């Protein structure tokens, strides 16, 4: 089967998925702009699996991998591309529409993260 790979609500590529026994085989191809590394994440219900980093190949970015079915489960698959950020130490601040956000002045180096099902922002620690 073939699925769209999404980045911020926009389709940027396709993922071909084949079930081979106890494994899913993924072949992903994306058209991306800009610098940096990008990862493909597969989602199935509540399960998320980072499939790995896209690599340049013939004018696009590709990824081929296998994952055990039990890691994702069976059901409707979705795919998204996310920027791969270096592991920065920082504070996770959950986002809530009902509460004001107190860290606006520190958003320049922050990044969006989903942690334990909660959407939030990671504010990097200050460098002395």
């Amino acid at each position: 089967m073939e699925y769209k790979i999404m980045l911020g609500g926009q389709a940027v590529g396709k993922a071909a998925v084949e079930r081979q026994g106890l494994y899913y085989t993924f072949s992903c191809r994306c058209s991306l702009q800009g610098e940096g590394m990008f990862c493909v994440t597969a989602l199935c219900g509540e399960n998320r699996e980072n499939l790995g980093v896209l690599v340049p190949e013939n004018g696009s970015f590709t990824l081929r991998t296998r994952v055990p079915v039990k890691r994702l489960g069976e059901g409707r698959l979705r795919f998204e591309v996310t920027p791969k950020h270096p592991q920065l130490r920082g504070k996770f601040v959950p986002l809530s529409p009902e509460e004001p956000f107190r860290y606006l002045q520190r958003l320049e180096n922050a990044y969006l993260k989903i942690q334990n099902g909660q959407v939030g922002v990671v504010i990097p620690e200050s460098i002395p």
Side-chain angles (χ1 to χ4, degrees), residues 23-89:
Y23 290 87
Y24 286 127
T25 300
F26 299 97
S27 180
C28 305
R29 179 173 299 278
C30 294
S31 297
L32 299 168
Q33 301 296 319
E35 301 265 330
M37 294 190 293
F38 293 89
C39 295
V40 176
T41 302
L43 301 100
C44 185
E46 296 292 317
N47 298 325
R48 300 176 62 86
E49 182 70 26
N50 181 347
L51 299 180
V53 176
L54 290 159
V55 295
E57 183 181 298
N58 298 328
S60 61
F61 291 86
T62 62
L63 168 69
R64 290 175 197 83
T65 191
R66 284 175 22 141
V67 173
V69 171
K70 70 179 182 180
R71 277 203 214 154
L72 276 169
E74 296 187 52
R76 185 167 179 226
L77 291 169
R78 297 185 336 260
F79 295 88
E80 62 184 34
V81 172
T82 54
K84 179 174 173 52
H85 296 286
Q87 288 293 70
L88 299 174
R89 291 181 22 159

